[in-house]
Amino acid sequence: MKTKIALFASIFLTGLPIFAQDEYQTIYWTGNTREGSSGWGLSSLTENWSSGTVPDANTNVVFDNDYLAGDKAPSIHTASGFTCNDYTITTNYTGHQIRVDGTMTINGNFTSLVKATTSLLSNGSNNSAAVLNIGKNVIVGVQGDTTGSQYELKIGESTSNQWSGWGGPKNVTIGGDVIMYELGRLNFNVNLKGRTADYSNPDIDIKGVMRFEGDGNNNPQIRVINASTKYADSNKNTFSSEPVEVVLACNGISGNGVISNNSNGSIDNGPSKAILLLRNDSTQYFAGWIQDGQNCTTKIVMNGTGAQYLTSGNKDPDQPTHGICFTGGLEMISGTLSMRYDHPINHGDLEMRGGTLQNDPVSTAWNVNFTNLIYDGGTITSRWDGSNLDVITLTGAMQKGENFADGDKFLIKISSTDVSALQDKLIIAWDNTAFATDFAEDDFEATYFEGYEALFDIKDDGLYLSYIAVPEPAAFAAIFGVLALVLCAYRKRG
């Protein structure tokens, strides 16, 4: 009896890993039955799937022209939500629309390989809009393909869903990376309801890295806000949407590509703002461009434990949209942001809450422009090469933040090996006669170099830094020795 029990236990336990393995069935969309006269087929109809069954979490779904049958509806309507593992649109498919009601959950990868537009639509306004959850990666395009049409994925149509009608999901979560190859385009229209941005609950929440797999000549593009079209009602009256703030959070950006926006749908009511929230837990390098786009500004927020390097440079004022040319502001909370100072544009307000801001180490430019500088904490790093010092130039004021307390220090790191010639150099420039600062000179603290004392001086045109040589302890001892001998001789004479 014991032997039988032991044998059963052995079989049961050794079988556990087999049952724990991921085994997915692959089924194909047939589009056999259209929904009325539309190009959609209902995902809940079994005849629209090659297996004769509706997909679930253990199913990989594939859209391939070779499997279309019957009505050959190319698009899918998920009338009551939808769940699958991988979702793939193959290279030989046609344009594809995904109409989502409720929640769409893709536990694996979402892959768009078709040289056409794939659109994920949400029919409903504001909080009735759909929710999209992708467990792993979003992949757009085919690596190495640099000719012909683009691979375009639109998560949300180009009209705002502030009214009832086609728009985008109210939020998107991507559990892995966003990977875009050379001709890839990814446009978001998410949660455009005009609310105040919330860093803790981003509209587009990418847990991994945004990977731009460009080659320098052919570079993919993301639009954080793609609400380019005004809303039109059934009578063909058009309405401009309200400007919005949309937060896209990710674990850093890498490669070569373009981050931009188009919010012309709100053109009559003012620009929108896209907020790029960088939560790096490792070091990432991005050689591409970060733009405002049309009727929109872009703000960068650094709030990670790692570092983000923005290495694209452009000094040509005749090319204002090339390079790192955002104007919506920069907020430093934690982590390190290394941003090449080459671009002449004003980036908006610089809010220092924490972290470290620095010029790219290989930059040949020494100036960056902001409007106001509000300082609560963190470190600003300036390079010194013996004759040049990195300068932050403000068109507005430099002021203490609300969390800057008595005894706190404005921290400045000088990146150099020799500060002997660093004398009376401008490091933060602004018009202190028009915008008087509330900082005092002893509120600043610079990097310690042995044998030197850092001295700050606030003048009419900004903050100046000098390193003054101080005598070594041995020199002090020699001076005191000489003074002692002089005093002794004076006493003897008396």
Side-chain angles (χ1 to χ4, degrees):
M1 183 65 178
K2 289 182 180 180
T3 302
K4 290 182 179 180
I5 292 174
L7 179 60
F8 175 80
S10 175
I11 294 172
F12 178 76
L13 291 174
T14 55
L16 277 178
I18 297 174
F19 291 108
Q21 288 179 351
D22 293 333
E23 294 183 359
Y24 301 106
Q25 178 189 16
T26 297
I27 65 174
Y28 293 83
W29 172 258
T30 65
N32 187 71
T33 304
R34 290 179 183 264
E35 184 182 8
S37 60
S38 73
W40 292 308
L42 283 170
S43 65
S44 57
L45 296 181
T46 57
E47 62 262 34
N48 282 333
W49 300 100
S50 63
S51 62
T53 57
V54 175
D56 58 23
N58 295 314
T59 308
N60 293 327
V61 300
V62 179
F63 293 81
D64 187 313
N65 261 359
D66 292 342
Y67 287 83
L68 289 177
D71 288 343
K72 296 185 177 182
S75 299
I76 182 172
H77 179 194
T78 65
S80 57
F82 183 83
T83 300
C84 69
N85 185 53
D86 288 343
Y87 191 108
T88 303
I89 306 115
T90 63
T91 55
N92 75 337
Y93 207 62
T94 185
H96 181 56
Q97 290 184 335
I98 309 163
R99 175 180 168 182
V100 180
D101 297 338
T103 298
M104 184 173 193
T105 300
I106 300 170
N107 292 323
N109 295 322
F110 185 110
T111 304
S112 181
L113 304 176
V114 60
K115 280 197 169 184
T117 299
T118 298
S119 299
L120 187 145
L121 314 174
S122 172
N123 185 17
S125 60
N126 298 348
N127 287 329
S128 65
V131 173
L132 175 62
N133 297 318
I134 299 172
K136 294 182 180 178
N137 302 321
V138 171
I139 303 165
V140 184
V142 174
Q143 186 175 18
D145 183 4
T146 59
T147 59
S149 303
Q150 298 172 347
Y151 303 85
E152 183 175 17
L153 172 60
K154 296 167 67 174
I155 298 182
E157 260 300 346
S158 59
T159 53
S160 172
N161 58 349
Q162 292 172 356
W163 304 274
S164 178
W166 299 115
K170 64 182 178 180
N171 65 276
V172 173
T173 301
I174 299 170
D177 295 339
V178 169
I179 306 167
M180 292 172 299
Y181 294 108
E182 293 90 341
L183 297 180
R185 298 292 183 269
L186 175 55
N187 299 327
F188 287 104
N189 177 3
V190 176
N191 202 12
L192 302 183
K193 302 191 298 296
R195 68 175 177 83
T196 302
D198 183 355
Y199 298 169
S200 65
N201 183 28
D203 307 290
I204 306 161
D205 191 355
I206 302 169
K207 306 298 185 182
V209 176
M210 287 203 299
R211 292 169 45 190
F212 294 80
E213 303 291 340
D215 61 11
N217 294 315
N218 300 279
N219 301 309
Q221 177 175 312
I222 277 183
R223 285 180 175 170
V224 180
I225 296 176
N226 185 51
S228 58
T229 309
K230 292 183 180 181
Y231 174 73
D233 64 15
S234 58
N235 296 318
K236 298 184 179 179
N237 298 311
T238 59
F239 302 91
S240 184
S241 57
E242 294 299 317
V244 296
E245 292 189 355
V246 173
V247 180
L248 184 152
C250 64
N251 196 15
I253 51 179
S254 68
N256 200 339
V258 179
I259 299 173
S260 189
N261 308 281
N262 187 337
S263 188
N264 276 347
S266 65
I267 192 72
D268 298 325
N269 297 323
S272 295
K273 178 178 283 189
I275 299 174
L276 181 59
L277 176 59
L278 302 174
R279 304 179 299 197
N280 300 42
D281 60 11
S282 60
T283 299
Q284 301 295 335
Y285 292 85
F286 181 63
W289 300 348
I290 301 178
Q291 307 171 335
D292 285 337
Q294 299 182 52
N295 195 43
C296 196
T297 62
T298 297
K299 177 180 180 179
I300 295 178
V301 179
M302 185 70 204
N303 188 20
T305 57
Q308 178 68 59
Y309 285 78
L310 306 178
T311 63
S312 176
N314 176 51
K315 303 177 193 176
D316 187 354
D318 295 329
Q319 301 290 343
T321 63
H322 293 186
I324 307 301
C325 52
F326 64 94
T327 68
L330 170 60
E331 185 175 354
M332 295 294 303
I333 299 174
S334 61
T336 297
L337 180 66
S338 181
M339 182 180 80
R340 186 169 289 197
Y341 286 1
D342 290 26
H343 206 289
I345 203 165
N346 187 311
H347 295 293
D349 286 347
L350 172 57
E351 303 168 78
M352 290 295 301
R353 316 291 183 200
T356 298
L357 172 65
Q358 65 184 38
N359 193 354
D360 189 79
V362 299
S363 175
T364 57
W366 299 86
N367 182 81
V368 64
N369 301 305
F370 291 98
T371 304
N372 300 297
L373 195 164
I374 303 97
Y375 183 90
D376 278 311
T379 301
I380 292 176
T381 298
S382 287
R383 302 169 305 159
W384 167 251
D385 69 353
S387 58
N388 298 295
L389 183 66
D390 283 328
V391 178
I392 293 175
T393 299
L394 309 174
T395 57
M398 182 172 71
Q399 300 292 330
K400 295 177 181 177
E402 60 182 13
N403 296 317
F404 190 89
D406 290 342
D408 287 348
K409 295 294 183 182
F410 187 130
L411 301 178
I412 295 176
K413 178 182 177 181
I414 301 301
S415 178
S416 180
T417 58
D418 184 358
V419 294
S420 59
L422 206 169
Q423 301 290 322
D424 199 33
K425 292 294 184 179
L426 185 64
I427 190 166
I428 302 176
W430 78 96
D431 186 348
N432 196 45
T433 59
F435 305 103
T437 185
D438 55 359
F439 281 98
E441 286 149 349
D442 60 1
D443 288 326
F444 298 91
E445 182 178 298
T447 306
Y448 170 75
F449 288 89
E450 186 175 357
Y452 293 89
E453 180 183 2
L455 297 178
F456 289 94
D457 187 10
I458 298 175
K459 300 182 183 182
D460 288 346
D461 60 345
L463 179 69
Y464 285 75
L465 172 62
S466 298
Y467 274 90
I468 306 301
V470 295
E472 297 291 337
F476 277 114
I479 291 169
F480 283 122
V482 170
L483 290 174
L485 290 173
V486 171
L487 180 59
C488 181
Y490 177 78
R491 286 177 176 174
K492 288 182 177 178
R493 183 176 298 178

